[in-house]
Amino acid sequence: MRAGAVILLLMLSVTAISALKITVFYVDGNMQPHPTQVIVSAEENPIVVLFTYLQSPPSRYLSLMPKDSVNAVYIVYDTIYVDLKKEKFKYWRFEDARLFVHSLVCSIFQSLEGIHWVKLLLDGEDGVLGGWIETTYKFGREVWQYWPVEKTR
């Protein structure tokens, strides 16, 4: 993230342990997910680590999250708000936008237990991500915590 990017965390409770595991969902060239465990030390912020890994995948995986694409990340109660830079997501193919949302949302839900909703914003407002994904509504854990997305009961 750029120096100007702000990461604001409200009401986040992380158990103080020597290391925390987060899961980052990378995608290969065949559009298959690859959940990857990352160890986060007690000195590191797990949300910063998660977004750093999503923006810098190993070379064998697709780069779905553009570098310097996050304005802010903040948590209110059980919802994480991810404010993205709209210009970084212009003119995307549907498949790229879909895979990006799957990768981001699954990574968040598999890594942060107390989060039940993900709300995407574009420059602080609702919008249409990449011309395809409506961001007015929140993505709920019940549906989006696994890959592929599963139907609820």
Side-chain angles (χ1 to χ4, degrees):
M1 286 184 248
R2 280 188 319 163
V6 176
I7 300 218
L8 175 63
L9 305 175
L10 300 174
M11 301 177 73
L12 174 65
S13 167
V14 178
T15 306
I17 54 177
S18 60
L20 173 72
K21 288 183 186 177
I22 61 172
T23 302
V24 180
F25 278 79
Y26 294 121
V27 180
D28 67 19
N30 294 319
M31 310 305 173
Q32 296 303 306
H34 292 271
T36 304
Q37 294 280 314
V38 176
I39 304 297
V40 181
S41 72
E43 296 80 32
E44 294 178 297
N45 181 319
I47 295 174
V48 171
V49 172
L50 179 65
F51 279 88
T52 299
Y53 274 79
L54 284 170
Q55 291 184 61
S56 301
S59 60
R60 65 186 174 276
Y61 299 124
L62 300 176
S63 182
L64 296 171
M65 184 171 208
K67 293 192 185 313
D68 300 322
S69 60
V70 179
N71 289 320
V73 175
Y74 53 96
I75 295 173
V76 178
Y77 300 111
D78 62 351
T79 303
I80 188 167
Y81 293 81
V82 181
D83 186 8
L84 302 168
K85 295 178 182 176
K86 189 174 184 175
E87 80 267 2
K88 296 284 187 171
F89 297 92
K90 285 185 176 179
Y91 312 116
W92 272 31
R93 295 178 311 140
F94 172 75
E95 196 65 18
D96 295 335
R98 182 185 73 80
L99 290 171
F100 164 71
V101 169
H102 274 79
S103 173
L104 175 65
V105 173
C106 286
S107 295
I108 289 170
F109 287 141
Q110 290 295 316
S111 300
L112 305 171
E113 286 184 28
I115 300 301
H116 295 283
W117 300 96
V118 175
K119 175 68 168 126
L120 300 180
L121 298 168
L122 301 170
D123 294 328
E125 300 177 349
D126 291 333
V128 180
L129 179 70
W132 299 101
I133 309 291
E134 175 64 52
T135 66
T136 302
Y137 307 100
K138 295 177 185 177
F139 297 91
R141 175 181 285 277
E142 186 176 347
V143 176
W144 287 86
Q145 68 182 331
Y146 302 108
W147 192 312
V149 171
E150 297 179 358
K151 293 181 181 179
T152 58
R153 292 179 202 128

